[in-house]
């Protein structure tokens, strides 16, 4: 695996420097931006493997940077790890509105940030396991092209949404707990991040549109993909 490139967008210089140092120690190439406009420009020109994006930035804030990255053809699939000073904002950060892949609440431990970053890089650089195309009724999942379609419509999934859909579909008919999904899709299972799974499932259902019912909620346990579409 070649050296992954990580872009950090953060206006607090001490955090920026600490994260920069630790990610370089962990074998990453690091790009830095002190504001949203510069961060967006670097993401578009350099196409990093991961963007670590602070929510509160001067000028263009992290929310807007995230939205623009998700709208851009060449930047849509870049994983985004959001940094926020506000706890309990999960829905807004990784929910419908923003579409980040993961988040960390400040103050965070540098070690955890590095572990999260490595987990994201690992799972997005590895091909989705399970090989071939999956076709169920109107739904088509093609791991080779990283493409998911509903009745011929490209669902335009982020890397994490794609892995989640693929994992659920491969395990159709079997209940997947949030913990298992975190472990298999996100690459780690930390307590307290189960809501990350819920918000991603909600977003995935929204993108699935008329096929949203394929993902069933198993109350108190997790999710199950319907066996036959
Ligand atoms: Ca900030």
């Amino acid at each position: 695996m070649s050296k992954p490139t990580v872009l950090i967008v953060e206006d607090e210089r001490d955090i920026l420097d600490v994260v920069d140092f630790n990610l370089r120690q962990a074998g990453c190439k690091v790009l830095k931006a002190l504001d949203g406009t510069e961060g967006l420009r670097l993401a578009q020109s350099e196409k990093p493997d991961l963007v670590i994006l602070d929510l509160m930035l001067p000028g263009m804030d992290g929310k807007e940077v995230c939205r623009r990255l998700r709208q851009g053809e060449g930047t849509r699939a870049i994983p985004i790890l959001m940094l926020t000073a506000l706890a309990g904002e999960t829905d807004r950060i990784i929910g419908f509105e923003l579409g980040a892949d993961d988040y960390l609440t400040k103050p965070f431990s540098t070690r955890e940030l590095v572990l999260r970053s490595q987990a994201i890089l690992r799972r997005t650089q590895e091909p989705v396991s399970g090989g071939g195309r999956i076709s169920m009724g109107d739904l088509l999942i093609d791991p080779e092209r990283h493409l998911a379609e509903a009745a011929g419509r490209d669902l335009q999934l982020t890397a994490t949404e794609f892995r989640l859909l693929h994992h659920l579909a491969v395990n159709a008919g079997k209940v997947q707990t949030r913990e298992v999904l975190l472990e298999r899709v996100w690459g780690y299972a930390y307590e307290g991040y189960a809501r990350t799974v819920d918000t991603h499932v909600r977003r995935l259902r929204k993108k699935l549109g008329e096929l949203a019912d394929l993902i069933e909620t198993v109350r108190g346990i997790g999710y199950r993909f319907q066996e036959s579409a």
Side-chain angles (χ1 to χ4, degrees):
M1 194 192 294
S2 61
K3 222 176 189 183
T5 303
V6 180
L7 167 64
I8 315 163
V9 190
E10 166 66 270
D11 59 313
E12 287 164 75
R13 204 176 271 277
D14 48 344
I15 295 180
L16 189 70
D17 289 343
V18 165
V19 173
D20 174 28
F21 175 78
N22 282 277
L23 284 174
R24 278 189 287 116
Q25 289 291 102
C28 300
K29 182 185 170 200
V30 179
L31 303 168
K32 294 184 282 185
L34 280 158
D35 63 67
T37 310
E38 175 66 2
L40 183 65
R41 192 190 66 75
L42 274 173
Q44 288 165 340
S45 64
E46 303 299 318
K47 305 277 194 306
D49 299 297
L50 168 67
V51 178
I52 297 175
L53 181 60
D54 187 31
L55 192 59
M56 306 285 272
L57 293 166
M60 189 191 296
D61 64 7
K63 199 168 134 181
E64 185 59 24
V65 175
C66 192
R67 184 174 295 128
R68 293 199 193 189
L69 288 176
R70 285 301 185 236
Q71 283 168 355
E73 197 65 48
T75 55
R76 179 176 299 133
I78 298 175
I80 299 171
L81 172 60
M82 209 88 189
L83 303 178
T84 169
L86 304 161
E89 284 236 298
T90 328
D91 278 356
R92 218 164 62 75
I93 295 162
I94 63 169
F96 300 125
E97 199 182 343
L98 293 188
D101 294 81
D102 203 350
Y103 74 102
L104 268 178
T105 304
K106 290 179 177 177
F108 52 83
S109 86
T110 312
R111 188 171 167 273
E112 175 149 16
L113 180 89
V114 170
L115 288 175
R116 289 292 184 89
S117 301
Q118 287 174 324
I120 295 174
L121 289 167
R122 206 165 41 237
R123 70 178 196 249
T124 49
Q125 298 199 341
E126 268 173 11
V128 177
S129 61
R133 282 156 59 116
I134 298 170
S135 180
M136 296 167 120
D138 279 344
L139 181 68
L140 175 77
I141 304 170
D142 185 348
E144 211 162 285
R145 289 189 295 154
H146 223 268
L147 177 75
E149 286 179 351
R153 172 177 59 90
D154 182 357
L155 296 179
Q156 303 196 337
L157 304 183
T158 66
T160 304
E161 288 162 358
F162 186 85
R163 288 185 82 86
L164 177 61
L165 177 66
H166 184 263
H167 180 82
L168 287 168
V170 163
N171 293 285
K174 292 180 227 156
V175 180
Q176 303 292 307
T177 65
R178 292 177 177 82
E179 290 69 29
V180 162
L181 289 171
L182 272 176
E183 180 110 33
R184 301 293 298 277
V185 178
W186 277 261
Y188 54 78
Y190 292 128
E191 245 173 84
Y193 280 87
R195 285 189 54 73
T196 301
V197 176
D198 296 337
T199 45
H200 267 85
V201 167
R202 275 218 299 281
R203 208 164 74 202
L204 191 51
R205 278 183 176 143
K206 195 180 181 201
K207 289 189 177 179
L208 281 166
E210 66 276 20
L211 300 181
D213 291 344
L214 281 173
I215 303 173
E216 296 174 297
T217 301
V218 182
R219 201 173 288 273
I221 302 174
Y223 298 96
R224 176 173 52 210
F225 202 83
Q226 278 191 25
E227 203 140 17
S228 54

